[in-house]
Amino acid sequence: MGDRTIRDGAMMRRMIAALAALLVLMPTPASAWGFYAHRQTASIAEANLSPEVRAKIRALLKYEKQLGTPDCPLKTLQDAAVWADCIRGEGWRWGYTAAWHYRTAPVCQPFNPRANCSGGNCVTAQITRAHRVLADERLPAAVRLEALAFMVHFAGDVHMPLHSGDNEDRGGNDRRAAYGIKPGLNLHSIWDNPLAERAISDPADPVARRYSAAERAELAGGTPDDWGRESWEIARSFVYPTAFDTDDVCAAPLPDETALSQEDIERGVPIARRRVVQAGLRIADLLESAFAPGPLAVEERRR
């Protein structure tokens, strides 16, 4: 009996080791803009919030444990910016939120802000819904905290051009692309990660800072639908034409594979940087209005 127990224990340890190795190899959920860029949008927002709103956010964050997501911490506003991506790792529980991260629209058709959002299952509708929930002080604190996390993340997502623009390729996911000399990516992942990270990583010019009233007037404002339209226009007029070296991406089907040159990347950097900054400042506006007495509905906020 003793030898059998030892053999069974050794077999179990081997099975656990094999399972662990398999889990390492499994793909993890994609993170729009990557964790770094999303967390930077939160840092921008935080630097531009009033002390009163920062205090109210800290008070809500104390209810983190009631969300029941121990593998996805929610202790800071920066955590909130990536929480909605983190929970996608539990698809059995949060799979219904997958469609909330984007609202793609064909770049070769006129933009329609009411299309591709059945039942409110798209990023712009979910920003509006989360803002309304967060603003309602009659609701339980944990419910409002969950809404805060969704709102902060989705307000970042909608600013990434390929979460709005599409050319029959799932927002660039189906177009293989090299990033300079680095192969093996796709057009969507390039704008999600290396391009955005390069755009906001200059220590001499940090994006997370207090912006002047004039800067905020120039960069912020608008509604979620406005932000989606801006991203769609960038995808239509810059992302696809630059990636495929064409003035008319709708004249003929695009190839399945391309490469971004160093010149393409350098041209994209200021665009990506502006979108990250705009997202951060607009998140600050959303938070200020949600916590203000008698907050305005998101739909009524205009530039």
Side-chain angles (χ1 to χ4, degrees), residues 49-58 288 291:
L49 290 173
S50 65
E52 295 78 12
V53 169
R54 285 199 294 269
K56 290 179 180 181
I57 291 170
R58 287 195 299 271
E288 288 285 345
F291 285 107

Side-chain angles (χ1 to χ4, degrees), residues 139-296:
L139 298 175
V143 172
R144 296 177 66 218
L145 175 59
E146 180 182 292
L148 181 149
F150 277 132
M151 185 186 77
V152 170
H153 179 83
F154 295 149
D157 276 350
V158 76
H159 284 80
M160 203 287 258
L162 292 173
H163 276 245
S164 290
D166 173 74
N167 196 345
E168 299 183 356
D169 55 10
R170 298 188 305 124
N173 275 292
D174 296 333
R175 307 282 182 184
R176 296 186 301 276
Y179 179 74
I181 62 173
K182 183 178 181 179
L185 301 175
N186 62 60
L187 188 59
H188 189 106
S189 67
I190 286 173
W191 277 83
D192 263 357
N193 292 287
L195 184 57
E197 290 175 7
R198 174 172 171 174
I200 58 176
S201 297
D202 183 356
D205 189 15
V207 293
R209 61 174 175 83
R210 184 79 178 179
Y211 285 78
S212 68
E215 288 173 314
R216 293 184 68 158
E218 194 267 325
L219 292 167
T223 70
D225 281 345
D226 295 332
W227 311 338
R229 183 188 294 270
E230 291 169 357
S231 287
W232 175 85
E233 178 59 33
I234 292 169
R236 186 188 70 84
S237 63
F238 182 83
V239 176
Y240 283 107
T242 301
F244 294 95
D245 297 318
T246 177
D247 293 330
D248 188 357
V249 297
C250 304
L254 298 176
D256 293 334
E257 188 168 0
T258 189
L260 270 66
S261 67
Q262 187 60 37
E263 181 182 359
D264 294 336
I265 294 167
E266 289 175 358
R267 291 175 60 206
V269 160
I271 295 173
R273 178 186 174 90
R274 180 182 176 89
R275 294 308 279 167
V276 172
V277 172
Q278 286 182 305
L281 294 177
R282 287 162 170 172
I283 289 169
D285 286 344
L286 287 168
L287 290 166
E288 288 285 345
S289 65
F291 285 107
L296 295 174

Side-chain angles (χ1 to χ4, degrees), residues 2-250:
D3 290 344
R4 181 176 179 181
T5 301
I6 293 172
R7 288 196 301 272
D8 289 348
M11 181 178 295
M12 181 61 70
R13 287 192 294 273
R14 288 195 294 270
M15 290 175 63
I16 292 172
L19 179 60
L22 178 61
L23 290 173
V24 169
L25 294 173
M26 290 176 65
T28 56
S31 302
W33 265 358
F35 274 27
Y36 176 65
H38 266 299
R39 293 181 77 91
Q40 285 291 82
T41 65
S43 294
I44 294 166
E46 193 167 55
N48 291 275
L49 290 173
S50 65
E52 295 78 12
V53 169
R54 285 199 294 269
K56 290 179 180 181
I57 291 170
R58 287 195 299 271
L60 270 189
L61 291 168
K62 293 179 181 179
Y63 293 86
E64 174 205 20
K65 290 185 178 180
Q66 293 188 21
L67 298 183
T69 57
D71 294 330
C72 298
L74 189 48
K75 301 181 186 301
T76 67
L77 194 61
Q78 288 73 22
D79 289 344
V82 298
W83 182 84
D85 270 344
C86 181
I87 61 172
R88 293 173 71 184
E90 293 184 352
W92 59 272
R93 181 181 175 190
W94 299 99
Y96 67 92
T97 69
W100 295 1
H101 294 253
Y102 59 90
R103 185 181 192 171
T104 51
V107 296
C108 293
Q109 298 177 19
F111 182 79
N112 182 353
R114 289 170 292 280
N116 301 328
C117 194
S118 177
N121 287 298
C122 72
V123 67
T124 50
Q126 288 302 316
I127 295 169
T128 302
R129 182 197 67 83
H131 180 272
R132 182 170 181 176
V133 172
L134 176 60
D136 192 341
E137 295 183 354
R138 299 169 299 175
L139 298 175
V143 172
R144 296 177 66 218
L145 175 59
E146 180 182 292
L148 181 149
F150 277 132
M151 185 186 77
V152 170
H153 179 83
F154 295 149
D157 276 350
V158 76
H159 284 80
M160 203 287 258
L162 292 173
H163 276 245
S164 290
D166 173 74
N167 196 345
E168 299 183 356
D169 55 10
R170 298 188 305 124
N173 275 292
D174 296 333
R175 307 282 182 184
R176 296 186 301 276
Y179 179 74
I181 62 173
K182 183 178 181 179
L185 301 175
N186 62 60
L187 188 59
H188 189 106
S189 67
I190 286 173
W191 277 83
D192 263 357
N193 292 287
L195 184 57
E197 290 175 7
R198 174 172 171 174
I200 58 176
S201 297
D202 183 356
D205 189 15
V207 293
R209 61 174 175 83
R210 184 79 178 179
Y211 285 78
S212 68
E215 288 173 314
R216 293 184 68 158
E218 194 267 325
L219 292 167
T223 70
D225 281 345
D226 295 332
W227 311 338
R229 183 188 294 270
E230 291 169 357
S231 287
W232 175 85
E233 178 59 33
I234 292 169
R236 186 188 70 84
S237 63
F238 182 83
V239 176
Y240 283 107
T242 301
F244 294 95
D245 297 318
T246 177
D247 293 330
D248 188 357
V249 297
C250 304

